[in-house]
Amino acid sequence: MKTYTAKTVDDALELASTELGVDVDQLIYEIKEEKRTLLSKKAVIEVYELSDAISYAEDYLKKVVESLGIDEVKTNASLSDDVIRIEINTNHNPIIIGKNGITLQALNELCRLAVSSKFKRKFRILLDVGNYKGAKYSRIARLARNSAKQVQKTHIDVTLEPMPGDERRVVHNALNNFSHIKTESSGEGKLRAVSIKYVE
């Protein structure tokens, strides 16, 4: 977090933009002070960097997991394709994952909402525990490719089981370059699913 002072908020934002090499509309900031008198003007803003959001997410996760009575919580965060990826490891990984990954999914959503609320900006956050998600993504991609091959042969559309947004994205990405195949998501909430369709 860095503080910038100028005559106006816009001027302070320009200063931050120039120093950090980030477009003004991409800055995450909070106005700490804005004064206007007959003789002077002053604006103070605090600008958060992506590293601040990542640190906040890791601290938040540790507190939540430790509140469940689980000790030795370790996190490892990275950023790729504008997604904050956080690997969690504890001495009770199955509890964090939950049945069919439902607890991990809920924790992911809580963390995303907490960080987005704190920094007044939407973030894509992806949590994994002991490579649970990584292994699941591999299985989903394999299922998607096999289903697409079936659709190519039979010309009969296939709709996969409902799945969360991150898993649907795996399906779309896995089939990007398949000829005569297009993917569409439909349905609402927990019932949203990907259909694999044949196109001429």
Side-chain angles (χ1 to χ4, degrees):
M1 181 176 64
K2 293 185 177 181
T3 302
Y4 295 89
T5 304
K7 286 186 176 181
T8 66
V9 170
D10 286 343
D11 289 345
L13 288 170
E14 284 297 334
L15 275 175
S17 172
T18 302
E19 183 179 310
L20 299 174
V22 177
D23 289 341
V24 169
D25 60 354
Q26 293 295 309
L27 291 173
I28 309 165
Y29 68 94
E30 186 177 344
I31 299 171
K32 303 304 288 184
E33 184 182 343
E34 192 171 9
K35 285 184 182 177
R36 289 182 182 181
T37 67
L38 288 173
L39 300 174
S40 66
K41 292 179 183 178
K42 182 183 178 185
V44 179
I45 63 170
E46 282 184 351
V47 176
Y48 298 96
E49 297 181 74
L50 195 52
S51 59
D52 295 316
I54 293 171
S55 295
Y56 182 85
E58 288 188 280
D59 290 341
Y60 177 84
L61 287 169
K62 285 177 182 175
K63 286 175 185 172
V64 171
V65 174
E66 286 169 356
S67 73
L68 299 174
I70 298 173
D71 298 323
E72 299 177 33
V73 182
K74 294 178 181 176
T75 60
N76 182 32
S78 61
L79 181 72
S80 63
D81 300 325
D82 291 326
V83 179
I84 299 173
R85 300 175 187 272
I86 304 176
E87 177 78 27
I88 308 170
N89 271 299
T90 74
N91 51 1
H92 290 89
N93 281 351
I95 293 174
I96 304 301
I97 295 169
K99 186 177 181 180
N100 295 324
I102 196 94
T103 306
L104 179 59
Q105 197 68 37
L107 185 60
N108 201 136
E109 184 64 9
L110 274 176
C111 182
R112 186 187 65 77
L113 289 172
V115 176
S116 296
S117 175
K118 167 72 176 174
F119 295 97
K120 309 292 188 291
R121 174 181 160 189
K122 287 186 178 181
F123 288 90
R124 283 177 59 199
I125 296 177
L126 183 61
L127 307 184
D128 200 357
V129 176
N131 198 40
Y132 170 82
K133 275 288 190 183
K136 190 171 187 180
Y137 288 163
S138 295
R139 291 196 301 272
I140 290 169
R142 189 163 54 248
L143 170 66
R145 287 191 290 268
N146 288 340
S147 299
K149 288 174 185 173
Q150 177 187 331
V151 172
Q152 283 175 325
K153 287 179 184 175
T154 64
H155 298 190
I156 299 172
D157 299 345
V158 169
T159 300
L160 303 177
E161 291 290 317
M163 57 184 75
D166 59 313
E167 295 174 10
R168 292 196 307 273
R169 201 170 292 115
V170 170
V171 175
H172 293 305
N173 291 340
L175 304 183
N176 257 346
N177 298 317
F178 264 65
S179 59
H180 302 291
I181 291 292
K182 75 171 182 176
T183 56
E184 287 181 358
S185 288
S186 59
E188 297 296 326
K190 292 180 180 178
L191 297 178
R192 197 158 174 79
V194 179
S195 294
I196 301 172
K197 300 184 174 185
Y198 183 83
V199 289
E200 291 295 343

